[in-house]
Amino acid sequence: FFHSPSLLEGRTPFVRTTADLEAFIARVDRFLEFVQDSGLRSVTMSELNPERVGAVSTCELSGQKGVAA
């Protein structure tokens, strides 16, 4: 969710100074705390499918059987 140059001052518009770097790392830390507290986990693309994430298709919403196009 970020590229390694973002961890070096002056390499990206997101981290221009030491203060920017500290703020950037603090945001990443807060995000990771949120993910952990929320019970979220990472998955690979092959693991990701609508049934596993609780998604519904437009067919299910309309009461029809089958796969949404």
Side-chain angles (χ1 to χ4, degrees):
F1 61 109
F2 67 90
H3 297 277
S4 55
S6 296
L7 299 175
L8 300 170
E9 297 171 24
R11 304 292 172 124
T12 70
F14 308 106
V15 177
R16 293 185 177 146
T17 65
T18 300
D20 289 344
L21 177 59
E22 290 170 359
F24 180 81
I25 291 172
R27 284 193 306 274
V28 171
D29 284 342
R30 284 192 308 272
F31 174 75
L32 294 175
E33 286 176 22
F34 164 77
V35 169
Q36 186 173 17
D37 292 345
S38 299
L40 298 174
R41 68 175 189 89
S42 60
V43 295
T44 64
M45 291 301 289
S46 61
E47 293 174 308
L48 185 60
N49 62 54
E51 294 81 22
R52 289 187 87 171
V53 297
V56 295
S57 69
T58 54
C59 290
E60 290 174 285
L61 292 174
S62 66
Q64 300 173 12
K65 299 280 187 201
V67 177

